[in-house]
Amino acid sequence: MAEEEGQSWDATIEEWLTAEGKCCAAGMAQQADGAFYAAAPQADEKGWGYIWKDPHEETITADDGVSEEKMTINEAAALLAVATTGQAPKGGLWLGGKKYTVTQKNMEEEHKECTFKYVFAAASKCGVHIVATTSQITCGFYSEEEGQTAGNAKAAVFDYAEYLIGMNM
């Protein structure tokens, strides 16, 4: 499967995460920089539209907890921070231009015979399951409005993490 058969990583994550409707979108990034290099669904680049936005300015709550300030959001850096530490950086976790709140984390999640880092982040009626394996970060997004559930998306992402670990990734 995947690269060893000439299939792109976009196609691989589509097969594992979005084709059967368990996730509405998915992405893969390397732990080196947190920048996505694969996205699904592939049709009309819908996955890329859902998971990624170039650095952008957002209004965030300042350190005093009352006032607001403008901040440039780098989604790759935020994803890398969340996937490796379980904590969102200043400005929060933004993916695809949408802000997510980290609500669960387990930096030693056990699934079957594997151990990996796991973070769940939520937004209104949607969320993202983030797993960090040896060298990869995988994000599986679900949307209640598109018919997915958090549980099915999580199960698919965990199974995909097991697949990656089996490939020493």
Side-chain angles (χ1 to χ4, degrees):
M1 193 186 276
E3 295 297 308
E4 70 268 16
E5 293 180 9
Q7 182 174 337
S8 73
W9 285 111
D10 302 90
T12 302
I13 60 173
E14 184 166 317
E15 178 182 335
W16 279 83
L17 301 175
T18 64
E20 294 181 6
K22 294 179 181 169
C23 296
C24 61
M28 282 183 70
Q30 290 192 352
Q31 282 199 44
D33 60 9
F36 286 117
Y37 64 86
Q42 297 176 84
D44 300 321
E45 296 195 353
K46 180 183 176 192
W48 284 109
Y50 200 96
I51 71 170
W52 177 255
K53 187 173 181 182
D54 284 330
H56 50 98
E57 192 172 273
E58 296 289 346
T59 302
I60 64 162
T61 303
D63 292 336
D64 65 13
V66 178
S67 60
E68 294 181 334
E69 64 184 12
K70 297 277 187 186
M71 180 175 182
T72 299
I73 303 296
N74 180 322
E75 294 187 358
L79 175 61
L80 182 60
V82 168
T84 57
T85 70
Q87 301 290 323
K90 180 178 178 176
L93 173 63
W94 293 76
L95 297 169
K98 180 181 285 192
K99 187 172 185 181
Y100 292 85
T101 302
V102 173
T103 61
Q104 296 177 23
K105 67 177 179 178
N106 184 348
M107 298 292 96
E108 293 184 15
E109 181 74 39
E110 294 183 9
H111 175 70
K112 299 179 182 175
E113 303 293 320
C114 302
T115 302
F116 48 82
K117 295 176 182 176
Y118 167 68
V119 176
F120 173 69
S124 179
K125 296 186 179 185
C126 63
V128 58
H129 296 281
I130 303 167
V131 296
T133 57
T134 307
S135 63
Q136 306 299 307
I137 301 168
T138 301
C139 297
F141 296 79
Y142 77 93
S143 168
E144 292 174 7
E145 293 174 347
E146 293 187 39
Q148 293 91 29
T149 65
N152 287 342
K154 180 179 180 179
V157 171
F158 277 23
D159 286 345
Y160 187 66
E162 179 185 21
Y163 165 72
L164 291 176
I165 290 169
M167 293 179 58
N168 294 317
M169 298 181 73

